[in-house]
Amino acid sequence: MRQLILWHLSILLLAGMAVRAQVPDSNQQSPGNPPADSATPPDTGAAKSPPGTGTPSVTVTSQKPRNEPTLPKLAPDKFTKCYATQNTADPGQLDWLGIRICQMELARDTRIVVDKCINRDRKSAPPVVIQACTELLDRNTMEGHERIYPLLNRAKAYFVQGDRQRALEDFNTAVKIAPKYAKPYYYRGVFYATQTDLDAALQDFDTALSLNHKLVPALRQRAIIHLTQNNPSGALADFSEAVRLQPKSAALWSDRGHLRILIRDYDGALKDEAEAIRLDPKLARAYFLRGAALGDLGDSANAVSDIRTAVDMDPSLDHYVSTQGKTASIALPPL
């Protein structure tokens, strides 16, 4: 398929015909489609896609349960039981070695449960994350604002399993116990965006950014919602601020270039995609988007070259190229 598409593009080039990106009228409101049930709250791309960007760009599919070791139970009397077993001192005297052994055992078990709940390596299945975070919350292992971390991780695990009600309850609780922290609002906003409740999502992203104006993921999510709601100037402002805060992020430069194509600022798109490529020469979508912009500017030779490079790097991008006879059309991949 890829070779056939590129052959058609080569024929297109020889025939002197333009490669055109399918860019909708920016003044039209896109009805869009609601995200699939498998979509989950990630850090990026959860808002319903704007015109011409396809389906929501980030989904998280649930991992199949594995045969994982049983998590240690953090019972409130664990230390007492351990010390009763380890104590070898005379009656009325403390066994300091036994105390130390029990402290280390309790610390080890707590560390195991914390690691499973936080799930930094993303290897724990959702049921394990839920079990571990529930242990931490039930035993009050974390206090005060620190409780938002097991709450947020359990909420995301509930969402992956399709339990939206419990997920929302945990997000709400996190917001309640830490109303001055941006992250709970951000994650709840991502949740609302996947439910296509864009007004609620926008309100949470606004709140998150009022608490932490440097929260780049919230800027990106809000930009996508602005674009979906036919507010390209708001989207451009948010993408530009994100680029200013993280100027070495090739993905953000490419995202802004994507937006510039949608609003037909092709010269600006070429500059943004060129910077994205300079920062990350292996970013396939940047070549693809630059090719789309070049095609709409009538530079078919360089458009074909960039699109060929992009598809060679990432064969999945050929899904956005369609041919009919000697005509090729380019659809934009999702933000």
Side-chain angles (χ1 to χ4, degrees):
M1 177 64 179
R2 186 179 70 195
Q3 291 179 343
L4 179 61
I5 289 173
L6 293 178
W7 180 82
H8 277 296
L9 288 172
S10 297
I11 293 297
L12 179 67
L13 171 60
L14 292 174
M17 300 173 66
V19 179
R20 302 290 297 178
Q22 295 177 340
V23 181
D25 187 345
S26 60
N27 294 323
Q28 293 180 352
Q29 188 77 19
S30 169
N33 293 318
D37 288 342
S38 62
T40 81
D43 290 338
T44 61
K48 189 169 65 174
S49 297
T53 64
T55 55
S57 61
V58 175
T59 59
V60 178
T61 54
S62 59
Q63 298 173 329
K64 294 182 179 179
R66 298 184 196 53
N67 295 325
E68 300 195 38
T70 303
L71 286 174
K73 290 291 185 180
L74 302 181
D77 60 350
K78 182 176 179 61
F79 182 85
T80 302
K81 289 182 177 180
C82 173
Y83 185 66
T85 302
Q86 295 290 338
N87 184 13
T88 60
D90 294 332
Q93 295 184 352
L94 292 176
D95 181 353
W96 294 107
L97 177 59
I99 290 174
R100 182 59 178 162
I101 290 173
C102 291
Q103 288 175 333
M104 292 176 64
E105 182 177 334
L106 182 58
R108 180 201 65 197
D109 289 352
T110 301
R111 185 168 59 253
I112 291 171
V113 176
V114 169
D115 287 345
K116 290 296 184 181
C117 171
I118 300 303
N119 196 21
R120 288 189 181 89
D121 59 7
R122 299 176 183 251
K123 293 182 179 179
S124 296
V128 175
V129 175
I130 291 170
Q131 180 189 354
C133 293
T134 300
E135 280 289 310
L136 296 177
L137 292 165
D138 288 350
R139 304 307 178 193
N140 293 318
T141 305
M142 296 181 177
E143 298 180 352
H145 293 159
E146 289 185 352
R147 289 174 65 83
I148 67 174
Y149 301 108
L151 281 166
L152 293 176
N153 279 280
R154 187 172 70 175
K156 288 184 279 186
Y158 275 137
F159 193 95
V160 171
Q161 291 196 146
D163 192 341
R164 290 172 172 77
Q165 183 59 41
R166 287 185 178 176
L168 182 57
E169 288 173 0
D170 276 354
F171 285 130
N172 287 339
T173 302
V175 167
K176 183 177 180 180
I177 67 175
K180 300 300 182 182
Y181 280 60
K183 285 289 183 71
Y185 293 100
Y186 166 72
Y187 283 112
R188 190 175 67 176
V190 173
F191 171 86
Y192 282 135
T194 64
Q195 304 305 293
T196 67
D197 189 349
L198 299 188
D199 289 336
L202 188 59
Q203 182 175 348
D204 272 350
F205 293 140
D206 286 343
T207 302
L209 288 165
S210 72
L211 295 169
N212 180 5
H213 68 278
K214 295 183 178 180
L215 189 58
V216 169
L219 284 167
R220 185 182 186 278
Q221 290 286 351
R222 192 171 69 175
I224 294 173
I225 291 179
H226 282 324
L227 191 54
T228 302
Q229 295 182 336
N230 200 27
N231 180 12
S233 61
L236 182 59
D238 278 348
F239 275 131
S240 294
E241 178 63 7
V243 167
R244 187 188 71 81
L245 290 169
Q246 293 185 2
K248 295 184 179 180
S249 171
L252 288 174
W253 283 94
S254 185
D255 284 344
R256 191 174 69 174
H258 189 148
L259 168 63
R260 291 190 190 280
I261 293 174
L262 291 175
I263 61 177
R264 294 179 169 81
D265 177 11
Y266 299 116
D267 290 334
L270 290 178
K271 293 177 182 177
D272 281 352
E273 298 306 336
E275 180 63 12
I277 292 168
R278 187 188 71 80
L279 291 168
D280 183 1
K282 295 183 179 180
L283 187 60
R285 63 180 287 115
Y287 290 95
F288 192 92
L289 292 169
R290 188 172 68 176
L294 287 167
D296 272 342
L297 288 172
D299 188 350
S300 293
N302 287 314
V304 170
S305 176
D306 270 352
I307 292 168
R308 179 184 290 115
T309 298
V311 174
D312 283 342
M313 287 180 171
D314 181 0
S316 68
L317 289 172
D318 69 4
H319 295 300
Y320 302 100
V321 182
S322 61
T323 61
Q324 186 174 6
K326 295 182 178 180
T327 302
S329 297
I330 309 299
L332 301 184
L335 270 167

